[in-house]
Amino acid sequence: MSEPRVTVDRDGHLLLIGLNRPEKMNAADHRLLSELALAYGELDRDPELRVGVVYAHGEHFTSGLDLADIAPRIGASGLDMVPEGGIHPWGMDGTRVSKPVMLAVQGTCLTLGIELALASDIVVAASDTVFAQLEVARAILPFGGATTRFAAQVGWGNAMRWMLTGDRFDAHEAHRIGIVQEVVEPGTQLERATAIARTIAAQAPLAVQATLANARLAVAEGEAAAATRLPGELVRLMQTEDARIGVEAFMTRSTPQFVGR
């Protein structure tokens, strides 16, 4: 049996998802993309899992697509990469994982690596990370979400500066424009991302997922659509066992142990 392209490990309520093609700088071939989609599906389905942490084995996060493997697979309807039971990690088929995803990046983070950051919720980068959205240099356009999310997240000028030139930029620029939320010493990015993930996982999971979903709805359909959904969501959450646990912890000044029900 060959090594998996994506490793999957459980750490309490966390699912650690590791890109595992270090000899190719974690270039994404079809097998890696499919295994990553299956890992996202596992995260979404299992009620015991509350947060995903995506990282990379080796020195680099990803050098982008393995075009030699991927290009022949792109048909009239695009790239079919999500097997049964999987969820599109970049959310480009209209589905999104319902739980928060952390990213820990280092070394080289090109093209689909940036797009995975844009599709994730919190990104921690080693200070030595180098980014580039360089599809225009390969005579294609970004098709993992950069054209739809980059400008919305970082502003039009910032997005065009990097998408239209294909130039490389560093972790501090990625932090300045908002792709990255924290920059840390090289080698500590996974530890820091996992620490944040554990903090999220300690909160009431249904409330975390509802917060994430409502914020996404506001981005996708506007503030009014999200505001309309809020009262019903609040009523639903107040009827959960976790709401009772939270109120009891508040009254007794104790630490709540949420159960996700």
Side-chain angles (χ1 to χ4, degrees):
M1 289 288 292
S2 59
E3 285 287 314
R5 289 283 198 267
V6 174
T7 62
V8 178
D9 298 287
R10 290 168 178 254
D11 180 359
H13 292 301
L14 310 185
L15 190 66
L16 307 181
I17 302 169
L19 307 184
N20 190 35
R21 204 184 180 201
E23 72 282 2
K24 296 290 186 180
M25 297 174 64
N26 292 312
D29 61 2
H30 189 265
R31 184 176 150 206
L32 186 149
L33 294 174
S34 296
E35 291 183 16
L36 186 60
L38 287 173
Y40 272 59
E42 181 178 348
L43 171 64
D44 195 70
R45 284 190 305 275
D46 192 329
E48 290 300 310
L49 295 172
R50 299 180 181 179
V51 186
V53 180
V54 180
Y55 68 103
H57 297 277
E59 297 180 5
H60 302 282
F61 187 72
T62 181
S63 59
L65 283 174
D66 182 344
L67 282 175
D69 179 78
I70 295 296
R73 301 175 186 269
I74 300 176
S77 59
L79 177 66
D80 182 7
M81 52 160 279
V82 182
E84 184 177 353
I87 288 182
H88 201 303
W90 289 266
M92 296 307 292
D93 61 358
T95 61
R96 299 287 296 275
V97 63
S98 62
K99 299 168 186 177
V101 174
M102 299 281 312
L103 234 61
V105 303
Q106 79 278 358
T108 299
C109 183
L110 305 183
T111 60
L112 62 81
I114 294 176
E115 291 173 309
L116 193 58
L118 294 171
S120 300
D121 301 298
I122 302 172
V123 182
V124 177
S127 60
D128 64 355
T129 311
V130 175
F131 299 84
Q133 196 76 59
L134 46 72
E135 284 87 349
V136 291
R138 295 172 176 169
I140 59 174
L141 84 168
F143 60 94
T147 58
T148 60
R149 297 187 181 121
F150 210 155
Q153 187 159 322
V154 310
W156 182 265
N158 287 325
M160 295 306 114
R161 168 67 181 89
W162 303 116
M163 282 202 299
L164 299 185
T165 63
D167 284 348
R168 294 174 183 253
F169 56 99
D170 64 18
H172 297 288
E173 173 65 3
H175 181 259
R176 184 189 73 81
I177 63 179
I179 296 174
V180 166
Q181 281 64 64
E182 290 192 21
V183 178
V184 298
E185 288 296 314
T188 67
Q189 66 279 351
L190 178 56
E191 178 184 3
R192 179 59 183 148
T194 302
I196 297 171
R198 286 199 181 102
T199 299
I200 296 170
Q203 314 312 311
L206 298 180
V208 167
Q209 292 162 36
T211 300
L212 184 64
N214 199 259
R216 286 176 175 170
L217 181 63
V219 171
E221 299 184 25
E223 181 181 340
T228 299
R229 191 76 58 85
L230 282 174
E233 284 294 276
L234 181 59
V235 169
R236 178 180 69 86
L237 291 172
M238 287 301 297
Q239 295 171 343
T240 64
E241 186 174 347
D242 277 348
R244 179 190 60 77
I245 292 170
V247 170
E248 182 177 308
F250 175 78
M251 298 298 292
T252 60
R253 299 185 180 181
S254 59
T255 301
Q257 301 295 320
F258 294 114
V259 295
R261 296 190 296 274

